[in-house]
Amino acid sequence: MAFDIEGLYRTTYDAVVRFLYRKVWDADRAEDLAQEVFMRALKHEPEKPRSWVFAVAANIARDEARFAIRRRKHLTLLTHEPIASPTPLADVEETLEQQEREAEVKRALATLTPRDREVLLLWDAGLAYPEIAEQTGLAVGAVGTTLARARKRLIAAHDQIQALRHEESRAASSS
Amino acid sequence: MRPHLPEEELHAFLDGELSSAQRAEIAEHLLACLICRALEGEVQTTRDQANVLLAIVAPPASRYAGRTLPRRRPIRRLRPAAAAVLAVAAAGSSWVAFRPGLGAPSASSPTLAASVAPAFVAALATAATPTLQESSTPSAGKTASRADRLASAMTSRLSPRVVGSPQAESYTLRPRSTIDPLTEIVPTSSGTPWQSASYADARQESPAIAHLNGLPVSAVRLQPSVDGTRPASMVRQLLPDGQAVWVIEGVESSVQDVARVMQASGLTIGLTRRTAPDYIGSADNPVRVLRMVTVASYIPFDSLQTLSRERLRLDNATQ
């Protein structure tokens, strides 16, 4: 069977960006890295393209994390420049709220063990249990167990974070 | 019969990751076993919640406009409650709407038909086609990508529909654009029509309006009675997350009419409780009329029960 990069791109690009975004937490960077993944796919013409792109994406994200700290320093310098934008106030509020919600889920995700998180993200990226098993080294039978645990822990951690926030805001308003 | 199903197997089942033989075995067990069915409901909720959370941490949606998403087809029995969750989530980002869309069986699928109220399915069957056409009008049809069309088709399919009269075949369907069932539920029962009222007025009309303590009231409807009983009431209140809860109180027939319509629209109905009866007729020969109260919302049954247990007030002592 001929290698169908176009089909692969069409069917997995968004999932790859999403997968990378949840590792690097930067939309632009995630898209750049996704491009890199597909460039490599084009060169390698992998046999199981779907699992392959996520394996490569995971590797790239890992490499990325090593350089992230250095870049973040650079970024803080840049973000000191104020950016004037005529955004309406309502939008700003909405964006802030969205950011806050995102930060909560992000923190909840961070409480998972690396393995639980990886399985959850791979599932959400659209991989099937056997593909997830192959990539994480788990037995296929263990994927369901891991996924069940990961989902529950994510929800529990998120609930806890929210409860904490409500408590804080109550404490702030009462004092 | 085999022992109860382990939780992870239900995850795999709902994720569509089992062989057809395994699926059949589990489906059969679920038919016979209440305990596992309850667990299945929990797992379904867990899955949905996790999906909603993950959807929050997605890159900005604008960068995704018009692209298709990969998704295999897991078997999913889409319950009204889950559908509501997803439909709500759909408002936030486009791909959330899309994802359950691909996973959901088509309207004609027997699994869907089996798990939702018949009236709901009937409404779907009648409504699916017109809504689809409506959402992709000729002018937009060419330019809208397949993804957009599918997403809009799915959201329209997921959204519960208001069925006019619960018992008749001649129920009226209102287009989604004119009525958002989350805010407007108008039972057109065989009895007296319902009327909107302000909360203050309603409290004057009737000495006690059943409501949930501490939640903001966003709408009140009263159904005046003809036989001298107190009016029936529907109070719409908002949960902290913006979801609506209805508290319905009145004589048995009124409450049942409303509950039927709401159930047909996919709301969860809580357990019905008796409230203080009315005594009508002459003073020396009074007739006792039973009254009851129930709550309805798009939240899981357990949550609804907890809510009503902790907050339901039948008097006007506090609000």
Side-chain angles (χ1 to χ4, degrees), chain B residues 20-135:
Chain B
S20 56
Q22 287 170 307
R23 268 209 309 275
E25 194 184 332
I26 288 184
E28 195 179 335
H29 181 94
L30 284 173
L31 268 181
C33 180
L34 270 178
I35 294 175
C36 289
R37 222 154 47 219
L39 183 62
E40 188 210 2
E42 270 173 45
V43 169
Q44 176 82 57
T45 312
T46 305
R47 279 186 88 239
D48 289 342
Q49 281 181 344
N51 284 347
V52 167
L53 286 182
L54 285 173
I56 292 175
V57 286
S62 60
R63 305 165 66 93
Y64 284 78
R67 291 214 202 102
T68 51
L69 274 181
R71 200 68 198 130
R72 61 201 169 301
R73 294 180 43 111
I75 48 147
R76 287 197 67 190
R77 294 203 286 143
L78 207 62
R79 288 137 190 262
V85 168
L86 296 166
V88 167
S93 85
S94 60
W95 72 269
V96 192
F98 200 85
R99 185 181 164 146
L102 283 180
S106 67
S108 56
S109 143
T111 44
L112 178 70
S115 62
V116 298
F120 186 58
V121 174
L124 278 180
T126 339
T129 330
T131 322
L132 232 170
Q133 284 165 352
E134 186 184 287
S135 60

Side-chain angles (χ1 to χ4, degrees), chain B residues 195-277:
Chain B
Q195 295 157 3
S196 296
S198 77
Y199 191 54
D201 288 349
R203 292 175 100 174
Q204 278 186 345
E205 281 275 322
S206 175
I209 297 287
H211 60 274
L212 297 168
N213 204 17
L215 296 179
V217 174
S218 64
V220 178
R221 284 172 209 285
L222 292 179
Q223 186 190 34
S225 74
V226 282
D227 54 5
T229 53
R230 284 174 285 149
S233 67
M234 290 166 67
V235 178
R236 182 182 188 267
Q237 295 183 275
L238 296 179
L239 295 173
D241 64 355
Q243 289 230 58
V245 190
W246 287 96
V247 183
I248 308 126
E249 201 265 350
V251 296
E252 201 173 346
S253 60
S254 298
V255 173
Q256 272 180 357
D257 278 352
V258 175
R260 259 205 301 269
V261 175
M262 287 188 163
Q263 200 157 28
S265 301
L267 278 89
T268 314
I269 312 289
L271 291 180
T272 309
R273 271 171 52 187
R274 277 198 195 163
T275 58

Side-chain angles (χ1 to χ4, degrees), chain A residues 120-132:
Chain A
L120 187 64
L121 293 186
L122 286 172
W123 159 257
D124 196 64
L127 293 195
Y129 283 17
E131 292 170 314
I132 299 175

Side-chain angles (χ1 to χ4, degrees), chain A residues 26 71-84:
Chain A
D26 177 338
R71 197 172 39 251
R72 207 169 298 144
K73 275 184 195 153
H74 178 61
L75 274 177
T76 31
L77 289 178
L78 286 178
T79 47
H80 275 298
E81 309 274 330
I83 302 162

